[in-house]
């Protein structure tokens, strides 16, 4: 869950800077001087950055207050990341850019006029300067796609249900201490060869000698659980100090699940209320539907493919919700600005114009976030596989829902 918070923080930090650069580019195109464009770009982007980060910060506070264990860890990491993002994007980035402009005295910004002779080109050079997609005309196709995803997801959740991992289904819990710093990978390989099913190993403390082993509930009663516990101890050897061994029942797992579900629900409710107060009730309704759409589609993915659903997955869903609402708030802010600026234009035209203006920012942010998630998927090992799959799916579905749902 801590990694989930860091991934979302990275995505939001990149997004904040992309928003600023996009605004600066727009201001330069209107004929402003370079310093005026810098100042106006930061001021215009600040409102959007503040809205998107505050909604996520509200969610983080509620998750910390009502969540438990790993969910609290996610909330702490995300909260600290949001505060640091607001500071670095609005203060540090500004100081660096102003220092560069004063030192180099460029005639314009590189993001406005790309040097085609340069070997290394910015990603933005691969995109058109102005998009002109007709999103509204494709709304019926999008509605069919969303309806299909929701029907499949709800049907799978009803019939197949979720494949709960050891965090929720119960199992064997072992707390042990090693005389030396442990190698989690080697311990996982030793226990994995025993064929006891799903296992989870986490370290705690500063010495890297203390660790927790969770093993899924075995077929049968207490006798079979004790036999599996003894088998694990024999395979690890006598050099470990076994400080605690417990047989965790499914009741504890259900309590964890309910705590996580309550925290997620309250966070989404608080986000909707904030958007209602900051924008309009229609915007809040759209944001709530987009969040529900993304969460249900992700749960359906785990149910349909029978992927393990555990506390790490809850963290992934929280990350997807945060990413989705960040995307949605950015789009809403531009739509609100365009509605005030172009009062006589038809609403579909205003919405299309607004979405096209934020499209390059959306694509760049999604691409950089996908790079971070792909690194987790390929190099994070088996432990983070389900988490990475959820995030890969979440970035795609979150980008889609922020535009169409």
């Amino acid at each position: 869950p801590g990694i989930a918070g860091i991934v979302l923080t990275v995505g939001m930090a990149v997004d904040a800077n992309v928003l600023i650069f996009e605004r600066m580019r727009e201001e330069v195109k209107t004929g402003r001087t370079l310093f005026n464009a810098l100042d106006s770009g930061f001021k215009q982007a600040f409102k959007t950055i503040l809205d998107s980060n505050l909604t996520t910060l509200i969610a983080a506070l509620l998750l910390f207050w009502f969540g438990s264990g790993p969910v609290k860890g996610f909330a702490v990491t995300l909260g600290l990341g949001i505060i640091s993002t607001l500071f670095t994007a609005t203060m540090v980035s500004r100081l660096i850019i102003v220092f560069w402009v004063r030192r180099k005295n460029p005639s314009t910004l590189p993001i406005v006029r790309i040097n085609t002779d340069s070997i290394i080109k910015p990603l933005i050079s691969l995109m058109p300067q102005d998009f002109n997609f007709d999103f509204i005309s494709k709304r019926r196709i999008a509605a069919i796609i969303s309806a299909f995803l929701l029907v499949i997801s709800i049907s799978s959740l009803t019939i197949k249900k979720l494949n709960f991992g050891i965090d929720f289904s119960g199992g064997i819990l072992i707390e042990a201490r090693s005389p030396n710093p442990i190698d989690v990978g080697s311990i996982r390989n030793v226990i994995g060869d025993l064929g006891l099913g799903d296992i989870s190993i986490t370290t705690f403390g500063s010495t890297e000698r203390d660790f927790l082993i969770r093993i899924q509930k075995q077929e049968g009663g207490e006798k079979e659980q004790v036999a599996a516990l003894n088998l694990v101890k024999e395979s690890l050897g006598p050099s470990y100090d076994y400080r605690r061994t417990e047989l965790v029942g499914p009741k504890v797992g259900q309590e964890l699940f309910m705590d996580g579900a309550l925290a997620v629900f309250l966070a989404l409710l608080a986000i909707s209320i904030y958007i209602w107060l900051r924008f309009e009730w229609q915007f809040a309704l759209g944001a709530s539907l987009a969040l529900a759409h993304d969460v249900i589609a992700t749960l359906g993915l785990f149910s349909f493919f029978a992927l393990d659903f555990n506390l790490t997955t809850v963290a992934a869903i929280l990350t997807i919700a945060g990413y989705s609402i960040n995307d949605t708030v950015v789009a809403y802010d531009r739509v609100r600005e365009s509605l005030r600026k172009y009062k006589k234009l038809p609403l579909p035209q205003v919405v299309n114009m607004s979405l096209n203006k934020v499209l390059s920012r959306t694509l760049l942010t999604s691409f950089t976030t996908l790079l971070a998630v792909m690194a987790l998927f390929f190099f994070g090992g088996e432990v983070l596989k389900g988490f990475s799959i959820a995030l890969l799916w979440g970035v795609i579905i979150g980008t889609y829902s922020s535009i169409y749902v």
Side-chain angles (χ1 to χ4, degrees):
I3 294 175
I6 292 172
V7 170
L8 182 53
T9 299
V10 169
M12 295 186 73
V14 170
D15 184 54
N17 284 282
V18 171
L19 279 169
I20 292 169
F21 299 151
E22 282 289 317
R23 284 290 189 173
M24 286 162 51
R25 183 170 68 167
E26 290 178 14
E27 296 299 324
V28 170
K29 285 182 178 180
T30 61
R32 288 177 180 266
T33 62
L34 191 53
F35 268 104
N36 284 340
L38 292 178
D39 185 59
S40 180
F42 272 94
K43 285 181 179 177
Q44 293 289 337
F46 179 75
K47 296 179 293 183
T48 307
I49 294 170
L50 185 63
D51 279 334
S52 59
N53 280 272
L54 272 182
T55 52
T56 312
L57 184 60
I58 290 170
L61 291 173
L62 284 170
L63 292 173
F64 179 79
W65 189 263
F66 293 100
S68 60
V71 175
K72 278 194 174 183
F74 172 83
V76 170
T77 307
L78 181 58
L80 293 174
I82 290 169
I83 294 170
S84 65
T85 295
L86 279 171
F87 174 73
T88 55
T90 57
M91 297 293 293
V92 178
S93 294
R94 185 169 189 155
L95 287 173
I96 292 173
I97 294 172
V98 169
F99 174 77
W100 172 78
V101 170
R102 284 180 174 171
R103 186 174 180 182
K104 297 292 186 180
N105 195 26
S107 58
T108 187
L109 294 172
I111 54 177
V112 177
R113 190 173 64 204
I114 312 274
N115 183 6
T116 55
D117 297 327
S118 176
I119 298 175
I120 301 176
K121 299 181 180 64
L123 286 174
I124 203 168
S125 65
L126 303 176
M127 299 181 183
Q129 292 289 308
D130 296 296
F131 289 96
N132 192 29
F133 290 121
D134 188 0
F135 293 102
I136 300 301
S137 67
K138 309 295 189 300
R139 64 187 183 278
R140 290 185 177 84
I141 298 174
I144 293 172
I145 293 173
S146 293
F148 175 77
L149 283 174
L150 292 177
V151 168
I152 294 295
S153 298
I154 293 173
S155 300
S156 181
L157 289 167
T158 304
I159 299 170
K160 297 180 66 176
K161 303 187 184 303
L162 290 169
N163 180 28
F164 288 117
I166 56 178
D167 292 325
F168 298 133
S169 62
I172 302 167
L173 176 66
I174 302 172
E175 180 184 334
R177 169 172 284 186
S178 169
N180 303 304
I182 67 164
D183 181 359
V184 174
S186 63
I187 293 177
R188 182 177 287 110
N189 290 334
V190 170
I191 301 176
D193 291 338
L194 300 177
L196 299 176
D198 190 18
I199 62 171
S200 171
I201 302 172
T202 54
T203 59
F204 62 95
S206 58
T207 62
E208 296 187 355
R209 295 167 53 204
D210 299 300
F211 60 100
L212 282 174
I213 302 173
R214 292 184 179 91
I215 304 171
Q216 75 173 48
K217 188 176 184 295
Q218 306 298 300
E219 294 288 337
E222 185 175 346
K223 182 180 178 181
E224 285 73 18
Q225 314 309 315
V226 173
L229 176 61
N230 293 331
L231 184 61
V232 171
K233 289 183 176 181
E234 290 174 8
S235 65
L236 292 177
S239 60
Y240 295 95
D241 177 17
Y242 297 99
R243 302 190 156 200
R244 178 166 59 113
T245 57
E246 293 180 12
L247 302 180
V248 182
K251 183 179 179 181
V252 176
Q254 290 174 3
E255 291 175 356
L256 284 173
F257 178 77
M258 293 306 297
D259 286 345
L262 176 63
V264 172
F265 173 76
L266 291 175
L268 300 185
L269 180 63
I271 288 172
S272 300
I273 293 173
Y274 176 83
I275 293 177
W276 185 355
L277 296 174
R278 192 73 175 84
F279 295 87
E280 298 287 346
W281 69 266
Q282 295 94 334
F283 289 89
L285 178 61
S288 300
L289 290 175
L291 286 173
H293 173 278
D294 296 345
V295 171
I296 292 172
T298 305
L299 291 174
L301 176 76
F302 274 77
S303 173
F304 188 81
F305 292 102
L307 301 173
D308 279 345
F309 189 87
N310 47 39
L311 285 172
T312 306
T313 311
V314 173
I317 291 175
L318 295 174
T319 308
I320 292 167
Y323 185 88
S324 175
I325 197 63
N326 183 65
D327 253 9
T328 303
V329 168
V330 170
Y332 279 179
D333 188 77
R334 189 54 74 104
V335 170
R336 181 178 59 180
E337 181 184 323
S338 298
L339 285 172
R340 292 171 178 173
K341 192 174 181 180
Y342 306 102
K343 295 181 179 180
K344 295 184 178 180
L345 289 180
L347 181 60
Q349 188 176 343
V350 171
V351 173
N352 263 333
M353 182 193 308
S354 303
L355 293 176
N356 277 293
K357 284 184 177 179
V358 299
L359 186 57
S360 61
R361 165 259 154 207
T362 300
L363 294 176
L364 282 172
T365 303
S366 299
F367 177 74
T368 50
T369 307
L370 279 174
L371 287 179
V373 177
M374 291 292 282
L376 290 177
F377 180 78
F378 287 109
F379 304 110
E382 198 64 32
V383 178
L384 293 175
K385 184 89 46 170
F387 172 76
S388 305
I389 291 172
L391 285 188
L392 284 171
W393 169 254
V395 170
I396 297 170
I397 199 72
T399 303
Y400 162 80
S401 69
S402 66
I403 294 174
Y404 276 111
V405 180

